[in-house]
C-alpha cells in the first residue's frame, strides 16, 4: 500500500474515531469514502487502521468486478458468451484498491455501458436532437459542479430532484436523456473531482460510436478507408512516442518541456500554473504518462491486441457474407473498430503528458478489452469448429511471450545490479505458478469439445494478461517506492520504531503540531490523527518552498553550532513557516476558515478545549492574514497553546540533505541515531519528550 497517498483518509478516520466528527480539511480537498467506515470501526471496536487498509482491498475487488460486469453487460446485452469473455479479459486489470478517484473512474466506465445499452440497439435511427440534448445537459451539470466547487449539498439536491422527475416520467425519452445526462455526471462528481475529466471522455467516446455506426452502415465507403488508416496509424504514433520518451529517459534524445504550453490551460481552468515541486508539475509529462499507461496495459496485452486488429483488417473481406448476416457482422465491426480507435486515440491524448490525464487508464483498458473480446470472438467463437492450427494461432502468441517475459524479466534478473531485482523475490512464486497453470491449460484448448476449447483459449488469454500485469507491477515498484533496502523481507513504509513512536504520541501528545520529513510525518499522522506543520497530497507532491523551510528548521534543531543558539535559530525560522501552514488548502478548498479544521487535538481523557473561532468563510487577503496571525498566536497562548513537536530519525536527517527535486525511498530508516543527540537537545532548552534507538521527539518551545 502507498501510505503516502493514503495518509489523508487515515488521518480523517483517526480524527473521526477520536472526536466523532469527519473533518474534510484533514484530506485537504475531499473526504475519502474509506474514512467513515474505518473511523467508525476504529472508534467503536478498536480496529487498527492499517489492518482496515488491507482488508478493504477485498471489498474493492468485489466492487471493481461488479463494475466490469456492468460494463460488459452494457456492451453485449444480448450476447451472453461475448459478455463473459469481455468480463474475463477485463477482470485481469482489476485494481486491488478503491479510492474516491478509482470509484469515480470505474463508475464512469459503467456510465459508458449504460449509454451504449440505451442507444446501441438503434444508433442509426437516433435523433440528433437527443444526442445534442444529452451533451448539453452533461456539460451544464459539469459546469455547475465546477463553479460550485463540487458543493456536496447542492449536487446531492440536484441528484435527488432529477431522480424524482425520472420517477414521475419513467417512460419518457426526455426524462431518460435528463437522467443519463445529469444524474450520472452529478453523482460521479460527488465521488471525485476527476469526474470533470472522466465524464467528457465517456460522452466523447459514446459520440464517436454513433459517428462510426453511420460510417460503417454502408460497408464499401471512403469512411471505412479512413477508419482503417486510423487503426494502423494510431498505434504507430503511440509506438513512436514510446521510442522518443525512452530516448529522452536514457539521454539519447534532448528532453523537451511542454509545461509552459500546459500552464496556459491550467491557469485558465484552475488559476494555477505548473511550477516545479507542486502537484500539477509532478503529475505532468510524457514520461509519467507512459509509465502509468504502460504498467496498466502491459506489453503482452498491447502486442496481442494490436496483432489481432491487424489480422482483422487483413481478413475483413471474409465477413462479407450473405445479405441476411451482413447486419450482425456490421454491428460487430462497429464495436471492434470503435473500441480500438477510441482506446488508441485516448492513449495518444494521455501520452501528451498533460497533468493527470493518465487517470483515464481504466477507461482505456475497458475499451481495449472490448477490442480483444471482438478479435477473440471472431477468431474462435463465430467460425465453425476451429482447426488445430487456428487454436495454436491464438494460444501461442500468449503462452510463449508470457513464459519468456516471466523467465527473462519478471521472475529472474536478466542483468545484475538492476533496482527492481530485489522486488522479483516477492512475486517469483506467483509468476512461476501462473506460467505453470498457463501451460497446463494448453492441452484443453485442443479438446474435441467446442465449449471446452473456447473457454480454455479465453482462460489462456485472460491468465496471460494477468501474469504480464502482475510481473510488470513488480518491475515498476522501484519507480514508486525506490530501491529495496538490503535484506528486506517486507515492503513497508514503517518499522517497529515508527509504530512505537506513533503509539506514544497518540497516548501522550494532546495538542501538538508535528514536524518531520514527509515520509515520517505521513506515517505518524496517519497512525495518530495529529495535525502536521505542512500539507501534501502525496510523498512526491510536497511544495518545494515549504519543504525548504521545513528542512531549515529541522537542520537548525539538529546541527551543532558554536554559540549554542540552536533554539533561537529554530524559533527565528518558525513564524514565516507557520504563516504558510495552510497555503495548499487555500488552493484546494478555496476556504479561509481552516483553523478549526487543521488543528484538531488527538484523543484525550478529558473533554477537548474549544478551539478559537474560525475566520469568516470569505477568502479575502485580510481574512487570510488574520488567520495566519491567529495560527502563530495559538503557539503562544499559555495553557491552551499548541506545541510544535519535531520527530527526528535517520531518514529525517537524510531528507534535510536532499537537493530540490530529489526524493528518498519510501522505506523506513535502517540506521540508528547518535545517542548523544537527546542530551544535546535537552541542553539546548529543547525538551526531549520521547526517544528510542531510531527516533527522538523534541518540543520546540519558542513561546517560553
Amino acid at each position: 500500500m502507498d501510505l503516502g497517498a493514503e495518509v489523508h483518509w487515515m488521518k480523517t478516520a483517526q480524527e473521526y474515531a477520536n472526536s466523532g466528527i469527519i473533518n474534510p480539511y484533514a484530506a485537504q480537498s475531499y473526504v475519502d469514502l474509506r474514512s467513515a467506515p474505518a473511523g467508525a470501526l476504529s472508534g467503536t471496536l478498536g480496529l487498527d487502521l492499517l489492518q482496515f487498509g488491507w482488508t478493504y482491498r477485498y471489498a474493492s475487488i468485489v466492487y471493481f468486478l461488479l463494475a466490469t460486469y456492468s460494463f460488459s453487460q452494457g456492451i453485449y446485452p444480448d450476447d451472453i458468451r461475448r459478455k463473459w469473455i469481455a468480463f474475463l479479459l477485463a477482470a485481469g486489470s482489476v485494481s486491488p484498491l478503491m479510492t474516491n478517484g478509482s470509484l469515480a473512474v470505474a463508475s464512469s466506465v459503467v456510465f459508458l455501458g449504460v449509454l451504449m445499452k440505451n442507444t446501441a440497439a438503434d444508433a442509426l435511427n437516433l435523433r440528433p436532437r437527443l444526442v445534442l440534448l444529452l451533451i448539453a445537459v452533461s456539460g451544464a451539470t459539469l459546469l455547475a459542479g465546477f463553479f460550485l466547487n463540487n458543493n456536496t449539498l447542492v449536487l446531492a439536491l440536484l441528484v435527488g430532484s432529477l431522480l424524482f422527475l425520472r420517477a414521475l416520467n419513467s417512460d419518457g425519452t426526455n426524462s431518460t436523456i435528463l437522467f443519463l445526462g445529469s444524474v450520472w455526471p452529478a453523482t460521479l462528481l460527488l465521488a471525485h473531482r476527476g469526474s470533470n475529466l472522466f465524464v467528457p471522455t465517456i460522452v466523447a467516446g459514446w459520440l464517436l460510436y454513433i459517428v462510426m455506426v453511420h460510417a460503417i452502415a454502408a460497408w464499401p465507403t471512403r469512411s471505412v478507408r479512413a477508419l482503417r488508416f486510423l487503426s494502423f496509424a494510431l498505434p504507430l504514433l503511440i509506438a513512436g512516442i514510446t521510442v522518443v520518451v525512452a530516448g529522452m529517459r536514457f539521454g539519447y534524445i534532448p528532453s523537451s518541456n511542454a509545461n509552459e504550453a500546459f500552464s496556459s490551460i491550467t491557469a485558465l481552468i484552475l488559476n494555477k500554473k505548473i511550477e516545479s515541486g507542486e502537484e500539477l508539475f509532478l503529475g505532468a509529462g510524457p514520461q509519467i504518462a507512459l509509465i502509468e499507461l504502460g504498467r496498466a496495459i502491459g506489453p503482452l496485452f498491447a502486442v496481442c491486441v494490436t496483432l489481432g486488429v491487424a489480422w482483422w483488417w487483413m481478413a475483413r473481406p471474409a465477413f462479407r457474407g450473405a445479405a441476411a448476416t451482413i447486419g450482425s457482422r456490421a454491428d460487430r465491426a462497429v464495436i471492434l473498430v470503435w473500441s480500438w480507435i477510441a482506446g488508441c486515440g485516448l492513449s495518444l491524448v494521455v501520452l501528451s503528458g498533460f497533468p493527470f490525464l493518465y487517470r483515464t487508464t481504466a477507461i482505456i483498458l475497458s475499451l481495449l478489452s472490448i477490442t480483444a473480446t471482438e478479435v477473440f470472438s471472431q477468431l474462435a467463437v463465430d467460425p465453425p469448429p476451429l482447426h488445430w492450427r487456428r487454436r495454436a494461432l491464438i494460444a501461442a502468441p500468449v503462452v510463449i511471450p508470457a513464459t519468456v517475459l516471466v523467465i527473462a524479466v519478471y521472475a529472474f534478473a536478466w542483468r545484475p545490479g538492476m533496482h527492481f531485482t530485489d522486488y522479483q523475490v516477492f512475486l517469483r512464486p506467483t509468476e512461476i505458478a501462473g506460467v505453470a497453470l498457463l501451460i497446463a491449460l494448453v492441452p484443453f484448448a485442443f479438446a474435441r469439445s467446442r465449449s471446452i476449447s473456447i473457454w480454455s483459449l479465453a482462460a489462456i488469454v485472460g491468465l496471460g494478461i494477468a501474469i504480464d500485469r502482475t510481473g510488470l507491477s513488480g518491475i515498476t515498484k522501484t519507480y514508486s517506492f525506490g530501491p529495496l533496502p538490503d535484506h528486506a523481507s517486507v515492503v513497508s513504509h514503517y518499522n517497529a520504531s515508527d509504530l512505537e513512536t506513533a503509539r506514544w504520541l497518540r497516548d501522550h501528545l494532546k495538542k501538538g503540531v508535528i514536524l518531520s520529513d514527509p515520509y515520517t510525518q505521513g506515517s505518524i499522522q496517519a497512525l495518530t490523527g495529529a495535525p502536521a506543520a505542512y500539507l501534501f497530497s502525496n510523498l512526491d507532491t510536497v511544495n518545494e518552498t515549504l519543504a525548504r523551510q521545513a528542512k531549515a528548521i529541522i537542520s537548525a534543531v539538529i546541527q551543532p553550532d558554536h554559540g549554542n543558539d540552536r533554539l533561537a535559530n529554530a524559533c527565528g525560522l518558525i513564524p514565516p513557516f507557520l504563516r504558510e501552514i495552510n497555503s495548499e488548502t487555500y488552493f484546494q478548498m478555496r476556504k479561509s476558515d481552516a483553523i478549526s479544521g487543521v488543528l484538531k487535538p488527538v484523543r484525550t481523557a478529558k473533554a477537548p478545549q474549544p478551539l478559537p473561532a474560525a475566520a469568516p468563510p470569505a477568502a479575502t487577503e485580510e481574512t487570510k492574514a488574520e488567520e495566519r496571525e491567529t495560527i502563530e498566536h495559538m503557539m503562544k497562548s499559555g495553557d491552551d497553546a499548541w506545541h510544535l513537536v519535531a520527530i527526528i530519525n535517520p531518514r529525517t536527517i537524510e531528507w534535510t540533505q536532499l537537493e530540490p527535486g530529489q526524493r528518498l525511498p519510501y522505506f523506513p530508516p535502517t540506521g540508528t541515531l547518535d545517542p548523544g543527540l537527546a542530551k544535546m537537545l535537552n541542553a539546548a532548552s529543547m525538551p526531549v519528550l520521547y526517544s528510542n534507538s531510531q527516533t527522538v521527539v523534541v518540543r520546540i518551545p519558542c513561546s517560553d
Side-chain angles (χ1 to χ4, degrees), residues 24 29 45 61 155 164 190 197 232 251 256 274 354 364 425 514 551 575 590 669 676:
S29 56
L45 303 178
I61 291 174
L155 285 175
F164 178 72
L190 287 173
L197 172 63
F232 286 100
S256 60
I274 301 175
F354 191 80
I364 297 173
V425 177
I514 60 176
K551 290 177 182 179
R590 299 182 187 177

Side-chain angles (χ1 to χ4, degrees), residues 383-541:
L386 297 179
H387 190 269
W388 69 269
R389 292 179 181 175
R390 179 67 67 84
R391 302 181 192 185
L393 181 65
I394 299 172
V398 176
V399 175
I400 295 175
T403 304
V404 171
L405 283 170
V406 168
I407 295 175
V409 181
Y410 296 151
F412 302 94
W414 56 273
R415 188 169 66 112
M418 300 295 290
H419 288 307
F420 57 78
T421 301
D422 295 328
Y423 286 100
Q424 292 174 324
V425 177
F426 294 96
L427 290 176
R428 186 175 297 154
T430 302
E431 290 289 294
I432 297 299
V435 168
L437 179 58
L438 193 66
I439 296 174
L441 287 172
V442 172
F444 293 95
F446 296 93
R448 292 184 177 181
S449 171
R450 177 174 168 81
S451 296
I452 292 177
S453 65
I454 289 175
W455 288 111
S456 297
L457 288 171
I460 287 173
V461 176
L463 180 60
I465 293 170
I467 291 172
D468 183 40
R469 287 171 177 161
T470 302
L472 196 62
S473 71
I475 297 296
T476 56
K477 279 292 182 291
T478 185
Y479 159 73
S480 302
F481 292 85
L484 195 68
D486 294 335
H487 310 297
S489 58
V490 294
V491 178
S492 175
H493 296 69
Y494 53 89
N495 56 18
S497 172
D498 293 329
L499 288 177
E500 290 174 5
T501 304
R503 288 167 180 156
W504 186 92
L505 286 169
R506 185 181 175 185
D507 292 338
H508 297 88
L509 184 67
K510 305 307 179 184
K511 300 182 74 173
V513 178
I514 60 176
L515 170 65
S516 188
D517 63 275
Y519 308 86
T520 302
Q521 179 175 289
S523 61
I524 296 296
Q525 192 177 19
L527 298 172
T528 64
Y534 58 92
L535 307 174
F536 56 86
S537 296
N538 203 342
L539 295 179
D540 286 340
T541 56

Side-chain angles (χ1 to χ4, degrees), residues 31 91 140 148 212 236 337 349 413 451 453 462 501 538 543 574 577 642 648 668 672 674 695:
V31 177
L148 293 170
M212 287 192 176
L236 289 176
V337 177
V349 172
S451 296
S453 65
T501 304
N538 203 342
N543 183 284
I574 288 174
F577 179 63
W642 285 76
I648 302 167
T672 58
D674 180 2
T695 307

Side-chain angles (χ1 to χ4, degrees), residues 108-174:
S108 298
V109 171
V110 179
F111 180 37
L112 178 59
V114 171
L115 288 175
M116 294 291 292
K117 185 176 181 180
N118 280 272
T119 58
D122 196 23
L124 271 175
N125 300 319
L126 193 63
R127 288 177 290 177
R129 182 182 65 83
L130 297 178
V131 177
L132 294 176
L133 178 61
L134 188 140
I135 295 173
V137 171
S138 299
T141 303
L142 292 178
L143 288 174
F146 179 79
F147 286 113
L148 293 170
N149 195 27
N150 199 10
N151 186 285
T152 304
L153 177 60
V154 174
L155 285 175
L157 290 175
L158 174 63
V159 172
S161 60
L162 291 175
L163 283 172
F164 178 72
L165 292 176
R166 169 70 172 162
L168 292 180
N169 189 16
S170 58
D171 297 328
T173 304
N174 290 335

Side-chain angles (χ1 to χ4, degrees), residues 544-555:
E544 285 187 2
T545 301
L546 293 176
R548 185 169 56 252
Q549 291 176 298
K551 290 177 182 179
I553 295 172
I554 296 172
S555 298

Side-chain angles (χ1 to χ4, degrees), residues 318-339:
F319 300 106
R320 297 288 307 281
T325 60
I326 287 178
S328 61
R329 289 175 179 174
D331 289 342
R332 295 166 187 169
V334 173
I335 291 290
L336 190 151
V337 177
W338 161 74
S339 59

